Amino acid sequence: MIQSISRRKFLVLPALGASGAAYARLVEPTWLELTYRECAIPNLVRPVTLIHLSDFHASDAVPKSHIERAIDMAVAASPDLICITGDFVTNTTGFDAGWYTAVLRRLALKAPTFAVLGNHDGGPWSATRGGFDTTAEVAHIIESSGVQLLANGSRTITCRGAALRIVGVGDVWADDLDAAKAFKDQESRCPTILLSHNPDTKELVAEHDWDLMLSGHTHGGQVVVPLIGLSPAPVMDREYIAGLKRWRNRWIHISRGVGNLHGVRFNCRPEVTRIHLLPEAT
């Protein structure tokens, strides 16, 4: 699926014209946007500010300075909670582990920071595409930074006096999803934020209790050309490619991501998202 989508992206670049193609390569991939969302969460006792980051894709195609600017933006937003939904890398090259650990540590020092892994972060799927054989390398970078990696697990925290349950599941493409394990310690009536790299996971965790699922993976389509109907994204449910959406009386936020594949974006700026969680009106 990824290979066919990539070919479609590059086939469309000539249709954008020389200036459009240059813009897609030289301007938009690093034109970060701070986006704002808000949603009401049942049983939440007071507002909480959450920063959602996804798909850094540290690589030769994504400059270190770009990831650093995203971190700057996240820290400057003064969040109560930070969540990162996978694809920290694209493959095994194009980044320095020591630098990455130091950059991520800035998030962990600012606010409680939780993360899950994506399909590019190691394992059988990744290994066949130039990535790591296992998730050990990326997991070490994350955990050394102080970011809490949730590998089919959960934590209960308190943000500004509000109890929150943070649940993280393994990636479905990496064949690492174990929802039963992730939710086994869930406390009743505690507002629950679910971290899952791929938004298609929603069907596989539907029987469990969660209020807001944070995902990435899609890059928002990365190259979006409405006039010819092109918005490639590697998901089954194309209603959930970007933004904050309702699903079965729950919320799902799909980030457009910070990085990219192949150094291209068009009509789909990279983003850092500030989500204001509000108590649900009764």
Side-chain angles (χ1 to χ4, degrees):
M1 179 181 290
I2 287 291
Q3 290 179 346
S4 64
I5 288 171
S6 298
R7 284 196 296 271
R8 290 178 67 195
K9 287 176 184 174
F10 284 106
L11 285 171
V12 79
L13 288 182
L16 301 176
S19 60
Y23 167 83
R25 283 196 172 277
L26 302 177
V27 178
E28 192 162 306
T30 56
W31 188 15
L32 272 166
E33 180 180 10
L34 180 61
T35 54
Y36 298 88
R37 316 280 187 224
E38 65 177 40
C39 61
I41 302 296
N43 304 311
L44 187 68
V45 297
R46 55 182 47 87
V48 171
T49 298
L50 182 158
I51 285 288
H52 181 197
L53 297 159
S54 197
D55 297 86
F56 288 118
H57 278 288
S59 63
D60 293 327
V62 180
K64 290 181 179 179
S65 59
H66 177 62
I67 295 175
E68 290 168 352
R69 284 197 302 274
I71 301 297
D72 289 342
M73 194 175 287
V75 169
S78 298
D80 302 310
L81 173 67
I82 302 171
C83 297
I84 313 171
T85 50
D87 276 2
F88 286 82
V89 304
T90 296
N91 48 45
T92 62
T93 62
F95 66 93
D96 173 77
W99 162 82
Y100 215 170
T101 297
V103 167
L104 293 174
R105 184 175 293 125
R106 294 187 58 215
L107 297 173
L109 290 173
K110 183 63 178 180
T113 304
F114 297 88
V116 293
L117 298 176
N119 52 294
H120 280 271
D121 293 325
W125 186 95
S126 174
T128 62
R129 294 160 177 82
F132 292 108
D133 292 335
T134 74
T135 60
E137 289 87 350
V138 176
H140 179 70
I141 290 171
I142 296 168
E143 292 171 336
S144 296
S145 73
V147 173
Q148 299 179 63
L149 180 61
L150 297 177
N152 293 308
S154 65
R155 300 283 190 279
T156 299
I157 63 170
T158 301
C159 282
R160 300 182 62 202
L164 285 174
R165 188 71 165 167
I166 315 297
V167 178
V169 295
D171 182 65
V172 64
W173 280 21
D175 197 26
D176 193 33
L177 173 65
D178 189 339
K181 179 181 177 183
F183 282 92
K184 69 177 182 179
D185 296 325
Q186 179 147 348
E187 298 176 4
S188 63
R189 299 188 61 79
C190 184
T192 298
I193 311 299
L194 170 62
L195 311 187
S196 175
H197 178 66
N198 190 325
D200 280 340
T201 305
K202 64 186 184 300
E203 304 287 351
L204 303 175
V205 295
E207 67 183 58
H208 299 282
D209 292 328
W210 50 271
D211 300 294
L212 167 65
M213 184 169 84
L214 303 177
S215 297
H217 184 61
T218 65
H219 304 179
Q222 193 167 305
V223 175
V224 180
V225 188
L227 292 179
I228 63 173
L230 178 62
S231 178
V235 288
M236 298 288 290
D237 189 344
R238 300 186 62 77
E239 293 295 317
Y240 295 86
I241 292 178
L244 182 67
K245 298 179 180 292
R246 292 292 271 173
W247 183 76
R248 299 186 186 178
N249 296 318
R250 311 178 195 190
W251 293 101
I252 299 177
H253 181 259
I254 310 98
S255 171
R256 299 195 303 261
V258 170
N260 62 76
L261 295 174
H262 314 299
V264 174
R265 276 189 182 269
F266 186 81
N267 197 29
C268 187
R269 287 172 61 185
E271 71 177 337
V272 173
T273 306
R274 182 182 184 272
I275 304 176
H276 198 44
L277 306 181
L278 300 169
E280 188 175 66
T282 56

